[in-house]
């Protein structure tokens, strides 16, 4: 079972760089061909100062540049084989573009036991700011922990 | 691209519909590297089997990235305000995904006129893998 006293705990902040090469690799993997994401001129016409990132890429940036991408598992006392991704939410507040340096500040927002303790839902909320101190986004990840139920 | 949004949106309007090719092992390996999500359960068959799964399966965030692409093909990226999904079921290797979205509500969001979209991603059997919602400025 997951220890409920970790609610409110902050995880290590992550500083991530939006690098053009890594972003291209992501786009090519997804077959992204939208000119707003591939062409600087089209991005400018859409109102961006530089190529912006696709809507789920914030999640990737945080994992790529984290010292320990699965730190939340240690805090929850779970391992990779017993967790699933339950929900994911993004709130977009300002553009995130190539060249930006972002700071991710994750914290454990809630922990709820379900199905008589067979599973636990842990919510990790992350505030994201850029190099100018602008609050650009909020991310919320719900991790499902499949508890090892004693026989 | 934003043709749909150039006219008045109404509740019930279908805004997006996009199909994706079957998910290969190669694609999951590429996504593992491209996303920074190195959980072996998505690429290492031995690890997946030891964890009790019959095979590797897609990252939830790979499937959400497909849905996000379908969304921003239809909605200019600067209009996106929120994007959320529930991962309803595991997406199996080989799945051919179809992403759809329609308008459920016209709302005021932080003083801005917005539309709320209901989003789904289904596999080739029609099984829902992701159920989500987006708020877009109109």
């Amino acid at each position: 079972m997951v220890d409920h006293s970790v609610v409110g705990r902050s995880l290590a902040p992550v500083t991530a760089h939006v690098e053009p090469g890594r972003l291209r690799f992501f786009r090519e993997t997804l077959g992204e061909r939208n000119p707003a994401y591939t062409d600087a001129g089209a991005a400018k016409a859409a109102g961006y100062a530089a190529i912006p990132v696709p809507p789920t890429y914030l999640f990737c940036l945080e994992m790529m540049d984290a010292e320990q991408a699965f730190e939340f598992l240690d805090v929850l006392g779970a391992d990779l084989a017993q967790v699933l991704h339950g929900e994911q939410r993004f709130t977009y507040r300002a553009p995130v573009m190539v060249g930006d340096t972002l700071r991710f500040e994750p914290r454990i927002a809630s922990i709820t036991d379900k199905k008589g303790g067979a599973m636990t839902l842990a919510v990790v909320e992350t505030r994201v700011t850029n190099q100018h101190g602008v609050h650009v986004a909020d991310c919320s990840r719900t991790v499902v922990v499949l508890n090892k139920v004693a026989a | 691209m934003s043709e749909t949004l150039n006219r008045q949106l109404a509740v019930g309007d279908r805004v997006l519909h996009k199909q994706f090719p079957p998910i290969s092992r190669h694609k999951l390996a590429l996504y593992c590297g491209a996303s920074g999500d190195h959980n072996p359960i998505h690429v290492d068959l031995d690890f997946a089997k030891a964890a009790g799964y019959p095979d590797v399966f897609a990252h939830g965030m790979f499937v959400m990235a497909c849905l996000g692409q379908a969304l921003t093909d239809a909605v200019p990226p600067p209009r996106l305000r929120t994007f959320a999904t529930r991962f309803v079921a595991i997406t199996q290797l080989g799945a051919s995904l179809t992403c759809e979205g329609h308008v459920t509500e016209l709302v005021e969001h932080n003083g801005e006129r917005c539309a709320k979209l209901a989003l789904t991603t289904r596999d080739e059997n029609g099984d829902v893998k992701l159920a989500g919602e987006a708020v877009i400025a109109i």
Side-chain angles (χ1 to χ4, degrees):
Chain A
M1 295 286 285
V2 177
D3 175 7
H4 287 232
S5 74
V6 298
V7 172
R9 188 183 297 182
S10 293
L11 306 178
V14 175
T15 299
H17 302 282
V18 186
E19 296 171 10
R22 295 197 306 190
L23 182 57
R24 188 186 317 116
F25 180 21
F26 177 84
R27 285 197 310 258
E28 286 173 0
T29 296
L30 270 305
E32 178 63 73
R33 287 180 202 91
N34 187 340
Y37 294 122
T38 57
D39 178 80
K44 283 214 169 76
Y48 294 103
I51 297 263
V53 302
T56 64
Y57 195 62
L58 287 167
F59 186 92
C60 306
L61 283 166
E62 184 183 1
M63 286 196 92
M64 280 190 282
D65 283 337
E67 298 244 351
Q68 276 184 276
F70 296 110
E71 182 195 2
F72 66 91
L73 290 178
D74 295 339
V75 174
L76 298 175
D79 64 54
L80 273 176
Q82 66 177 124
V83 294
L84 291 169
H85 201 163
E87 292 183 33
Q88 181 65 36
R89 167 173 289 274
F90 298 98
T91 301
Y92 307 104
R93 302 181 183 281
V96 173
M97 299 167 291
V98 163
D100 281 349
T101 299
L102 304 179
R103 182 177 165 86
F104 292 81
E105 294 171 273
R107 60 181 264 284
I108 309 281
S110 70
I111 290 183
T112 315
D113 292 321
K114 294 279 182 188
K115 300 195 177 174
M119 61 169 73
T120 300
L121 303 185
V123 178
V124 182
E125 289 181 352
T126 303
R127 179 186 163 93
V128 190
T129 49
N130 69 10
Q131 66 276 21
H132 307 296
V134 175
H135 181 191
V136 292
D138 291 292
C139 310
S140 170
R141 161 208 305 224
T142 302
V143 179
V144 181
V145 182
L146 307 169
N147 291 311
K148 291 162 185 161
V149 184
Chain B
M1 176 175 71
S2 53
E3 229 171 80
T4 327
L5 297 182
N6 288 337
R7 59 183 171 77
Q8 202 72 21
L9 277 183
V11 170
D13 283 357
R14 187 169 87 167
V15 178
L16 57 111
H17 179 95
K18 184 165 187 170
Q19 288 179 294
F20 290 84
I23 299 170
S24 64
R25 293 180 194 277
H26 181 230
K27 186 65 80 182
L28 294 183
L30 288 174
Y31 186 80
C32 170
S35 69
D37 184 344
H38 300 166
N39 185 343
I41 210 153
H42 303 297
V43 289
D44 182 336
L45 181 57
D46 302 333
F47 185 93
K49 282 191 167 160
Y53 295 96
D55 204 337
V56 297
F57 54 92
H59 305 70
M61 289 306 292
F62 171 80
V63 183
M64 190 178 187
C66 294
L67 182 58
Q69 183 179 114
L71 180 59
T72 53
D73 275 3
V75 176
R79 297 199 190 187
L80 196 53
R81 298 293 175 266
T82 70
F83 177 32
T85 56
R86 210 156 45 79
F87 300 98
V88 178
I90 283 175
T91 301
Q92 306 298 346
L93 195 70
S96 300
L97 301 176
T98 300
C99 300
E100 293 179 297
H102 67 272
V103 178
T104 56
E105 213 181 334
L106 300 174
V107 291
E108 235 354 66
H109 180 81
N110 298 332
E112 200 177 27
R113 253 171 62 77
C114 288
K116 208 178 256 186
L117 309 180
L119 307 170
T120 56
T121 301
R122 291 183 162 85
D123 70 6
E124 66 282 7
N125 302 315
D127 293 339
V128 175
K129 299 300 178 181
L130 260 59
E133 186 183 276
V135 173
I136 60 167
I138 53 174

